[in-house]
Amino acid sequence: MHLRPRPSPLQKLELPIAQKQGVNLYVKRDDLYSLKPGTALQGNKVRKLLPVLEAALEEVEPPVLLSFGGAYSNHLAALATAGAAFKLPVHLIIRGEEVDNPLLQFCAAAGARLEKVTRFEYRRRNDPLWVDGLQKRLAAEHKVGVDRIWLIPEGGTTEKGVANVGKLVEEMTKQLGTIPDYCCVSAGTGGTAAGIIRAADPTTRIEVYPALRGNWMRQEIEQWLNPTHTNNWTCVEGYEFGGYGKFPTAWKRATTGLATRAELDVPGLPPLEPIYTAKLFSGVLDRLKRGVYASGSNVVIVHTGGIY
C-alpha cells in the first residue's frame, strides 16, 4: 500500500528584513505535508514514518509498532495518530514514571498502549539486550511472535526514513526552479537533517539548528552519512534558548490545538511551535539581519511541522 501525500508548498516570505538584505527567503511548508490534515501526522514525522507504515499495511496481520519518546514528543503523537487511522497496534515507551499531559492522554485515547519507565531505564533504549527482552515481553503480552514487534527508534529515524526525507529536497528544488543556496532545518535526533544533507546538491549549504544544548548533534547526523556525502553543512549553535523544551515565555501563545504554539512578533511568518520551528526561524532571521546570507541568495527554511 502506497501512502503518498501531495508535495507541501514552497512559499516566499516577503519580510522587510529579507528585502533589505536582497535575500530571497522561502519556507517549505511541511506542516501541510500530512496523511491526516490537522493532526500530528504531518511534516518530518510523516516522511520518516512512511516506509514503516507502508510495510506494516502490506502485512496480513498488522505488527505492533513499538517506539520511544518523551512526554511532549510529536513523534509519539504522530505514531498514535497513524495507529488509529490505519488500525495498527502501537506500544509507546514514555520517559518518566510520573509524567502526564494532554499529549499523552491523546495518545492513549487514540488506542496506543503507554508504558511509562524511569529515566534510568529509558536510557537503555539503545541497549540490544534490553530491547530484546522488551520485545519478548511485549510479544507475550500482545500474543504475537517476537518478529511482530517492530521497533521504531526514538524520533522515527531509520535508514529508510532518512532516505525518504531526502525527497523533500527534490520537491523543494523543483518548486524553486533552481538549486537553493541555503537550506535551514531544525534538529532533534538529526535524522531529518541527515536526509536533507544526503539528497542536497553539493552547492547548497545546509544549516542545521539543534533544538538541544550540547555539541553532540554533528555526531548524531554523521552516523547516517558516509564519505560520498557532501560536507557542505554545519550545525548552527546558539539558538537553543536554554535547551530542549525551553524557550522565551513571550513566544507562547494561546491555542485550541494540542501542541504548544509560538509567535515571534514578526508579521508574515507561518504558524510555529516553540520546541523546534520558532527556534529555527529566530536563528535564521537573526543571521539574516547580521548579513550572513549574500544578496541574491535563495534561502529555504524547512518547516518540519508540529502544528496541530
Side-chain angles (χ1 to χ4, degrees), residues 5 11 17 25 27-28 41 51 66 78 88 114 133 142 145 162-163 197 205 212 241 266 275 295 304 308:
Q11 296 179 353
I17 183 61
L25 185 63
V27 56
K28 178 64 169 163
L41 196 54
L66 165 67
L88 298 170
L114 274 59
H142 288 271
V162 169
I197 292 166
R205 189 71 190 175
L212 302 83
F241 294 91
V266 178
I275 310 300
S295 178
T304 48
Y308 58 95

Side-chain angles (χ1 to χ4, degrees), residues 15-299:
L15 304 184
I17 183 61
Q19 295 169 343
K20 180 179 179 180
Q21 299 291 347
V23 171
N24 300 308
L25 185 63
Y26 299 86
V27 56
K28 178 64 169 163
R29 293 288 305 274
D30 250 28
D31 55 310
L32 301 177
Y33 184 83
S34 179
L35 289 172
K36 194 173 176 57
T39 73
L41 196 54
Q42 62 177 252
N44 65 333
K45 304 310 176 188
V46 169
R47 293 189 187 272
K48 288 195 285 187
L49 287 174
L50 269 175
V52 69
L53 293 178
E54 290 178 339
L57 291 173
E58 293 289 343
E59 298 290 309
V60 175
E61 293 294 331
V64 176
L65 304 182
L66 165 67
S67 198
F68 309 85
Y72 298 92
S73 169
N74 287 332
H75 164 64
L76 297 189
L79 191 55
T81 301
F86 302 113
K87 296 180 173 55
L88 298 170
V90 172
H91 194 109
L92 304 176
I93 304 297
I94 313 298
R95 181 179 63 245
E97 293 176 289
E98 304 301 324
V99 296
D100 191 29
N101 59 30
L103 187 146
L104 296 181
Q105 294 166 14
F106 162 80
C107 291
R113 285 185 58 180
L114 274 59
E115 180 177 343
K116 300 174 184 179
V117 300
T118 65
R119 292 177 180 273
F120 173 79
E121 190 172 13
Y122 188 84
R123 286 196 288 271
R124 301 187 65 188
R125 66 192 180 281
N126 296 320
D127 179 347
L129 289 178
W130 184 83
V131 172
D132 181 66
L134 173 64
Q135 289 179 294
K136 288 179 179 177
R137 174 171 64 81
L138 294 184
E141 292 179 6
H142 288 271
K143 296 181 173 56
V144 297
V146 176
D147 63 324
R148 309 311 296 160
I149 306 295
W150 287 16
L151 177 66
I152 303 174
E154 184 179 41
T157 302
T158 64
E159 172 56 37
K160 289 182 178 179
V162 169
N164 196 56
V165 167
K167 295 179 181 179
L168 177 152
V169 176
E170 181 182 349
E171 292 177 18
M172 173 180 66
T173 303
K174 183 177 180 179
Q175 292 166 330
L176 187 62
T178 186
I179 296 169
D181 298 297
Y182 291 89
C183 180
C184 310
V185 62
S186 181
T189 61
T192 298
I196 290 174
I197 292 166
R198 283 164 47 161
D201 187 272
T203 62
T204 300
R205 189 71 190 175
I206 311 298
E207 292 188 347
V208 181
Y209 291 72
L212 302 83
R213 289 185 299 174
N215 58 2
W216 49 271
M217 181 57 71
R218 187 173 186 90
Q219 184 177 356
E220 288 295 308
I221 294 171
E222 285 177 338
Q223 69 176 311
W224 298 102
L225 308 179
N226 62 50
T228 66
H229 297 131
T230 61
N231 194 35
N232 61 334
W233 63 281
T234 186
C235 286
V236 181
E237 299 177 352
Y239 298 100
E240 302 87 3
F241 294 91
Y244 186 74
K246 297 181 179 180
F247 52 88
T249 55
W251 284 5
K252 193 169 183 178
R253 55 158 290 191
T255 176
T256 57
L258 184 62
T260 305
R261 294 283 286 275
E263 197 168 90
L264 298 183
D265 196 27
V266 178
L269 296 183
L272 302 175
E273 51 72 41
I275 310 300
Y276 297 101
T277 54
K279 293 181 180 182
L280 168 65
F281 274 76
S282 178
V284 174
L285 293 178
D286 180 61
R287 287 166 64 78
L288 183 62
K289 183 179 180 180
R290 294 192 288 112
V292 172
Y293 311 113
S295 178
S297 297
N298 291 313
V299 179

